[in-house]
Amino acid sequence: MSNKVKIAVLVSGGGSNLQSIIDQQESGFLDKAELVLVISSREDAYALKRAEAHGIPGVCFSAKQWPDPQLRCQAMVDALKKAGAELIILAGYMSILTPEFIKAYEHHIINIHPSLIPKYCGKGFYGKKVHEAVLSGGETVSGATVHFVDEGVDTGKIILQEQVEVKPEDTPETLAARVLEVEHRLLPEVIRRYCDGELRENEE
Ligand code: GRF
């Protein structure tokens, strides 16, 4: 019986954050973690191909297949419980999660956001829009934030943040790439700390 922490990752897009978790698991940095399931909100998410390439079960719960968010989230919880997932990672997941879903995994859902929360987060701040807003806000620094997920949007307890420089010549794409490099280090670091028992939000 593996005593590893069973982790599920929720995705919607390219899955580079998922890939960084897979890579760190295979390198041994995340040897106490076991990826048991990848759930995508989109059939065409390249993240599903990354999961398949590494033998991780992947499944899609799209709004098309499951128009009712309540039923969709309940079906996702059922699949997560069946896989024995203990920790849920949101890595570019772009669909809503109902209060019931959050409750089912309260204090065990972690998200990564490509800005220094509480700046440039919340409703409407996702993907490229975040970096466009940082640039038009004239910021000289940006960064990534890993936080626990509560029922708000990007409002849960912050776990770890790291800054990056915003350069005058930056475009949203060049800034996104610099932030993504930080994300790919930060998320595995937080998962490792969780697996080492250092992060139990509800025990503080
Ligand atoms: C990342 O920038 C992440 O911070 C944001 O969505 C993007 C996901 O990228 N939530 P990927 O799918 O992990 O490559």
Side-chain angles (χ1 to χ4, degrees), residues 77 80-81 85-86 88 101-109:
V77 168
L80 290 163
K81 296 287 183 196
E86 168 192 334
I88 313 297
F101 181 102
I102 305 291
K103 206 112 203 82
Y105 280 98
E106 196 163 14
H107 307 307
H108 297 277
I109 311 174

Side-chain angles (χ1 to χ4, degrees), residues 60-76:
C60 177
F61 287 91
S62 71
K64 214 164 64 211
Q65 301 156 302
W66 297 84
D68 176 331
Q70 291 292 346
L71 294 178
R72 180 167 71 242
C73 284
Q74 187 49 59
M76 286 165 57

Side-chain angles (χ1 to χ4, degrees), residues 5-8 34-38 56-58 80 83-86:
V5 174
K6 295 185 186 312
I7 294 173
E34 180 188 356
L35 283 169
V36 294
L37 185 63
V38 170
I56 302 161
L80 290 163
E86 168 192 334

Side-chain angles (χ1 to χ4, degrees), residues 13-18 91-94 111-114 127 131 180 183-184:
S16 70
N17 275 291
L18 168 66
Y93 186 67
M94 300 295 283
N111 181 47
I112 183 152
H113 180 76
H131 308 296
L180 211 47
E183 293 180 45
H184 293 165

Side-chain angles (χ1 to χ4, degrees), residues 39-197:
I39 289 182
S40 177
S41 63
R42 293 172 55 103
E43 279 289 354
D44 62 353
Y46 188 66
L48 284 171
K49 298 228 181 316
R50 295 179 190 265
E52 191 183 354
H54 290 270
I56 302 161
V59 62
C60 177
F61 287 91
S62 71
K64 214 164 64 211
Q65 301 156 302
W66 297 84
D68 176 331
Q70 291 292 346
L71 294 178
R72 180 167 71 242
C73 284
Q74 187 49 59
M76 286 165 57
V77 168
D78 295 346
L80 290 163
K81 296 287 183 196
K82 193 155 163 261
E86 168 192 334
L87 178 61
I88 313 297
I89 302 291
L90 310 187
Y93 186 67
M94 300 295 283
S95 188
I96 66 150
L97 294 173
T98 58
E100 290 75 17
F101 181 102
I102 305 291
K103 206 112 203 82
Y105 280 98
E106 196 163 14
H107 307 307
H108 297 277
I109 311 174
I110 287 173
N111 181 47
I112 183 152
H113 180 76
S115 80
L116 295 174
I117 290 177
K119 287 191 157 188
Y120 307 105
C121 66
K123 223 160 165 35
F125 284 103
Y126 56 86
K128 190 173 161 188
K129 291 174 187 283
V130 173
H131 308 296
E132 286 167 347
V134 166
L135 293 176
S136 53
E139 303 291 346
T140 54
V141 292
S142 189
T145 302
V146 183
H147 63 95
F148 282 110
V149 172
D150 61 14
E151 293 184 18
V153 181
D154 300 331
T155 52
K157 184 176 168 16
I158 291 175
I159 300 168
L160 202 54
Q161 290 186 302
E162 186 173 315
Q163 282 191 6
V164 300
E165 180 195 2
V166 178
K167 297 179 176 169
E169 67 276 15
D170 265 330
T171 63
E173 291 72 21
T174 58
L175 179 55
R178 195 171 309 121
V179 173
L180 211 47
E181 269 174 47
V182 167
E183 293 180 45
H184 293 165
R185 265 188 298 102
L186 231 48
L187 191 50
E189 173 60 30
V190 167
I191 293 171
R192 182 179 167 113
R193 292 186 191 184
Y194 180 98
C195 293
D196 287 346

Side-chain angles (χ1 to χ4, degrees), residues 22-40:
I22 291 169
D23 295 346
Q24 294 293 8
Q25 204 209 1
E26 295 185 351
S27 76
F29 179 73
L30 291 178
D31 57 357
K32 292 181 190 155
E34 180 188 356
L35 283 169
V36 294
L37 185 63
V38 170
I39 289 182
S40 177

